[in-house]
Amino acid sequence: MGRITEELIRKNAEHNNCEIFSLEELSLHQQEIEKLENIDKWCRDLKILYLQNNLIAKIGCEGLEKLDLTVNFVGELSSIKILQYNVHLKEIFLMGNPCADFEGYREFVIATLQQLQWLDGKEIERSERIQALQNYPEIRGKIKEQEKAYCLKRAKEKEEAQRKLQEDEEKEKQKENRNKPGFNGRWYTDINNTVPYSLERKENYQQLAKKEKEVNKKTQDELDKEFWEKPTLFTPESRLETHRYLEKQRRDQEKSSEKKKHQKLPRTLITADGRVLNINEPKLDFSLKDDEKNNQIVLDLAVYRFMDTSLIDVDVQPTYVRVMVKGKPFQIVLPAEVKPDSSCAKRSQTTGHLMITMPKVGEVILVNRKANKPMKYPERKKLQENKRSNQIEKLEVDPSKYSFPDVTNIVQEKKNTLERIPAKPQAIPCAEEDPDFEDNLEVPPLI
């Protein structure tokens, strides 16, 4: 059973910074509360109280303006008289309670709590209040008779619920005892003594075992469907039975999850024959680059940006690299052999990526190949001469090192000299010229 405690009120007063002395509105729905207590002492300024879906059978609380008791178990309707002196109470909800089915329920509430303005979300009219006050003596008698009948009914329901609960406990105890090592089909070994296994008791155990076997065949969904579709009475005991069923389901789920957690086998990273597997359990993006220029292999692993570096573990081996990210392995086989001692891992401050640089080994190690036998000097010299004779030697001239004449330019220059137009000969004046000399233009000049 849930009780109203100071811790419960503070937990539901987060909107008021968990302060309860100045709390004006409080919601305590679905808390399995059976009795209203101590609220008026701790929350003196409380004006609105929500108590839907609880186990409250009697009303008792002062200093409220609005009280919501929807879907509870208020059967003693006369208990609302305690709210007569609460002059601030303007609205109350009692729908979904057994008393709401009583004949004359609304008229009795209106006549008893004359300060109310709203009942079950419906406004109280003036004519309705006058009529309720006029019929109050007659209605009060009917309500008392219905309350007595309800109390007798509740006593039977409690007795039946108690008997059923004892049967369930006995079945559970028998089930536990059958699972003990001392039970062998003929004798039932108890903790304190050993009791002969009679024929009648044997038949009972056989029937229970048969029913249990049938129940175990059903799936959890079928069991849930059967439970929720089973017709039950609207009683506090049925509500508690539902609560116990849900609590049992929660415990079973916790046990199964804990069992699966312990039974989970470790992930296979390397097979029995020594083969390394490629694994990406954290599902991270990555790129593997073979940097031939710098003779190294670079792994870029897209680790989450805001992940703490202490949650990352790097292990570089000659043929593979393994990175544990929050316990989940990332493993990849390398295309070449690397030097683990010379490798380094760094994280980017901007992206958070993990950069692993792994230098490759200088020499390539060949596996399962026979080494060549050393040759003597005469045999090696003869082999080199044979190779030279089979090869065709070519002469290559580098014009930048040797200054040989360019034949093409020479031919071109000769051609150009033949095509030149001869210059006009100039007359060379004589040292002494005859004064009677006449230059005849028809006579060609001397060359």
Side-chain angles (χ1 to χ4, degrees):
M1 290 290 182
R3 295 190 60 184
I4 298 177
T5 61
E6 185 177 352
E7 182 181 357
L8 178 64
I9 296 177
R10 290 188 185 278
K11 182 180 177 182
N12 291 273
E14 296 178 352
H15 59 282
N16 199 44
N17 296 325
C18 298
E19 296 178 358
I20 62 175
F21 67 91
S22 61
L23 193 64
E24 296 184 357
E25 182 176 345
L26 178 61
S27 178
L28 296 175
H29 60 278
Q30 295 181 350
Q31 298 290 338
E32 307 296 333
I33 297 172
E34 186 180 17
K35 184 180 179 181
L36 292 177
E37 54 184 352
N38 300 324
I39 296 181
D40 53 343
K41 299 178 182 178
W42 295 329
C43 309
R44 296 185 179 275
D45 296 335
L46 192 64
K47 297 179 180 179
I48 301 173
L49 178 60
Y50 296 98
L51 293 166
Q52 306 98 312
N53 290 323
N54 281 288
L55 304 174
I56 297 172
K58 294 183 181 180
I59 300 173
C61 194
E62 299 180 1
L64 295 175
E65 294 181 2
K66 179 180 178 180
L67 179 61
D68 192 342
L69 290 168
T70 305
V71 192
N72 275 277
F73 296 94
V74 178
E76 298 181 26
L77 188 57
S78 58
S79 62
I80 66 172
K81 291 182 180 180
I82 197 171
L83 301 175
Q84 284 180 338
Y85 304 102
N86 188 349
V87 295
H88 302 289
L89 186 62
K90 304 299 180 185
E91 186 175 5
I92 190 172
F93 287 86
L94 292 172
M95 61 179 66
N97 288 272
C99 65
D101 297 330
F102 290 174
E103 183 182 355
Y105 148 74
R106 185 173 176 86
E107 293 176 326
F108 181 81
V109 175
I110 293 173
T112 305
L113 304 177
Q114 299 182 23
Q115 74 274 28
L116 288 181
Q117 297 179 1
W118 295 79
L119 176 59
D120 294 334
K122 184 179 178 181
E123 188 176 4
I124 301 172
E125 299 180 357
R126 186 170 180 272
S127 59
E128 189 179 10
R129 192 186 305 278
I130 294 172
Q131 186 176 0
L133 290 172
Q134 291 176 352
N135 300 331
Y136 182 70
E138 182 182 355
I139 295 170
R140 183 175 57 182
K142 291 182 179 180
I143 294 296
K144 286 185 177 181
E145 292 178 359
Q146 295 178 78
E147 284 180 349
K148 289 180 181 179
Y150 175 76
C151 290
L152 292 174
K153 181 183 175 182
R154 282 291 301 128
K156 292 181 180 179
E157 290 175 351
K158 288 180 179 179
E159 184 179 352
E160 181 66 21
Q162 187 67 22
R163 184 185 62 81
K164 186 178 178 182
L165 182 60
Q166 290 178 355
E167 289 179 356
D168 293 340
E169 291 178 353
E170 184 66 23
K171 289 179 182 179
E172 191 69 24
K173 186 177 180 180
Q174 291 174 358
K175 181 180 177 181
E176 293 177 358
N177 290 330
R178 285 198 304 273
N179 295 330
K180 291 180 179 179
F183 181 76
N184 58 4
R186 295 186 60 188
W187 290 86
Y188 164 70
T189 304
D190 200 354
I191 296 175
N192 299 321
N193 56 357
T194 303
V195 183
Y197 197 65
S198 64
L199 181 62
E200 183 180 357
R201 195 167 187 177
K202 179 180 178 182
E203 292 177 356
N204 294 334
Y205 274 113
Q206 288 177 349
Q207 291 178 0
L208 290 173
K210 186 178 180 181
K211 290 181 180 179
E212 183 181 353
K213 189 176 181 180
E214 293 176 356
V215 170
N216 291 335
K217 289 181 179 179
K218 297 180 181 179
T219 62
Q220 188 61 39
D221 294 337
E222 292 175 347
L223 292 174
D224 291 344
K225 185 178 180 181
E226 182 179 347
F227 177 81
W228 294 114
E229 291 181 353
K230 181 177 64 176
T232 55
L233 299 174
F234 180 67
T235 59
E237 289 76 23
S238 63
R239 183 80 63 81
L240 289 174
E241 183 182 1
T242 303
H243 177 72
R244 286 193 296 267
Y245 183 80
L246 295 175
E247 188 66 20
K248 184 177 180 297
Q249 275 189 329
R250 185 185 63 81
R251 290 196 302 266
D252 293 342
Q253 289 178 358
E254 289 179 355
K255 288 181 181 179
S256 61
S257 61
E258 191 70 21
K259 189 176 180 181
K260 289 179 180 179
K261 185 177 180 182
H262 289 299
Q263 290 179 352
K264 188 176 180 182
L265 297 175
R267 186 68 178 265
T268 302
L269 302 177
I270 302 176
T271 59
D273 56 352
R275 185 167 55 91
V276 181
L277 302 178
N278 290 327
I279 299 171
N280 188 2
E281 190 171 323
K283 298 180 181 180
L284 300 173
D285 296 332
F286 69 95
S287 65
L288 188 65
K289 181 182 178 183
D290 190 355
D291 189 1
E292 296 181 355
K293 184 178 179 181
N294 298 319
N295 194 32
Q296 62 185 8
I297 297 175
V298 181
L299 173 63
D300 183 0
L301 190 60
V303 181
Y304 309 114
R305 181 178 180 182
F306 299 104
M307 179 180 288
D308 193 354
T309 309
S310 61
L311 301 175
I312 303 172
D313 186 22
V314 181
D315 182 18
V316 179
Q317 296 295 330
T319 57
Y320 67 92
V321 59
R322 182 187 303 161
V323 182
M324 301 296 293
V325 182
K326 293 182 68 174
K328 296 182 179 181
F330 171 89
Q331 183 172 278
I332 188 170
V333 180
L334 301 175
E337 191 175 355
V338 299
K339 300 177 181 178
D341 296 338
S342 303
S343 303
C344 66
K346 297 180 181 179
R347 284 194 72 183
S348 174
Q349 294 183 353
T350 56
T351 62
H353 285 206
L354 179 66
M355 304 291 295
I356 305 176
T357 306
M358 298 164 282
K360 294 192 288 187
V361 296
E363 298 177 359
V364 179
I365 300 174
L366 301 177
V367 184
N368 296 330
R369 289 192 180 182
K370 296 181 180 180
N372 295 327
K373 294 181 179 180
M375 299 175 64
K376 296 181 180 180
Y377 179 77
E379 295 178 355
R380 187 165 61 250
K381 185 176 181 181
K382 186 177 180 181
L383 182 61
Q384 291 176 356
E385 290 177 357
N386 292 335
K387 287 183 178 180
R388 289 177 183 176
S389 62
N390 294 330
Q391 293 178 354
I392 301 173
E393 295 184 0
K394 295 181 180 180
L395 180 63
E396 295 182 359
V397 179
D398 187 0
S400 62
K401 295 183 179 180
Y402 305 94
S403 58
F404 290 100
D406 193 354
V407 180
T408 56
N409 293 335
I410 295 173
V411 174
Q412 188 68 23
E413 289 176 0
K414 186 176 181 181
K415 186 177 180 181
N416 293 338
T417 53
L418 293 174
E419 291 179 356
R420 287 178 183 172
I421 301 173
K424 244 183 183 181
Q426 296 181 358
I428 300 173
C430 298
E432 293 181 1
E433 187 177 353
D434 190 2
D436 296 331
F437 175 78
E438 291 181 1
D439 187 13
N440 189 358
L441 297 175
E442 295 178 1
V443 179
L446 297 175
I447 295 175

